[in-house]
């Protein structure tokens, strides 16, 4: 029974191709388009990796401050605060950039491990 359903579905999907034919096109590859250097592509992909994991999209949407501050109870001075307390889903910009940087360092570590393990 299971294979009969697939046979019916195959015949339904292939039905238009019984009377329609694909045109015989002779397309050429445009040689005027230059392929970018692989290092440029890697840099763009790695930069987008950094920006996505830094939470830049979240920071732009929610308009978060770059750093926070809290008042020291002993001196009364306002001290900078890098990690947003009390909110699990919130972040300061500096916190996101630090996290993105650490993710990128980890990714570079994997890339270096891959390069070091290749046989020459």
């Amino acid at each position: 029974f299971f294979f009969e359903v697939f046979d019916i579905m195959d015949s339904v999907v292939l039905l238009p191709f019984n009377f329609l034919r694909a045109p015989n096109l002779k397309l050429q590859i445009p040689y005027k388009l230059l392929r970018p250097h692989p290092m440029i592509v890697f840099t763009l992909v790695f930069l987008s990796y950094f920006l996505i994991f830094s939470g830049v999209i979240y920071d732009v949407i929610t308009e978060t401050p770059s750093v926070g501050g809290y008042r020291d109870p002993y001196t009364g001075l306002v001290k900078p605060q890098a990690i947003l307390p009390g909110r699990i889903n919130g972040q300061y910009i500096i916190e996101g950039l630090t996290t993105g940087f650490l993710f990128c360092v980890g990714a570079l570590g994997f890339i270096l491990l891959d390069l070091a393990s290749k046989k020459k």
Side-chain angles (χ1 to χ4, degrees), residues 21-47:
R21 298 283 178 228
N24 187 11
L25 297 177
K26 294 184 179 185
L27 299 175
Q28 295 180 355
I29 299 172
Y31 289 105
K32 293 185 179 185
L33 295 176
L34 298 175
R35 292 179 68 189
H37 193 269
M39 203 60 198
I40 293 174
V41 175
F42 171 76
T43 303
L44 291 174
V45 168
F46 204 69
L47 182 66

Side-chain angles (χ1 to χ4, degrees), residues 73-114:
Y74 299 112
T75 61
L77 298 174
V78 177
K79 293 190 174 183
Q81 185 176 21
I83 298 175
L84 184 63
R87 288 184 51 201
I88 294 175
N89 295 334
Q91 71 177 19
Y92 291 127
I93 293 176
I94 193 70
E95 182 181 359
L97 292 177
T98 306
T99 304
F101 174 74
L102 291 176
F103 273 113
C104 286
V105 167
L108 282 176
F110 280 119
I111 291 169
L112 291 176
L113 279 173
D114 181 52

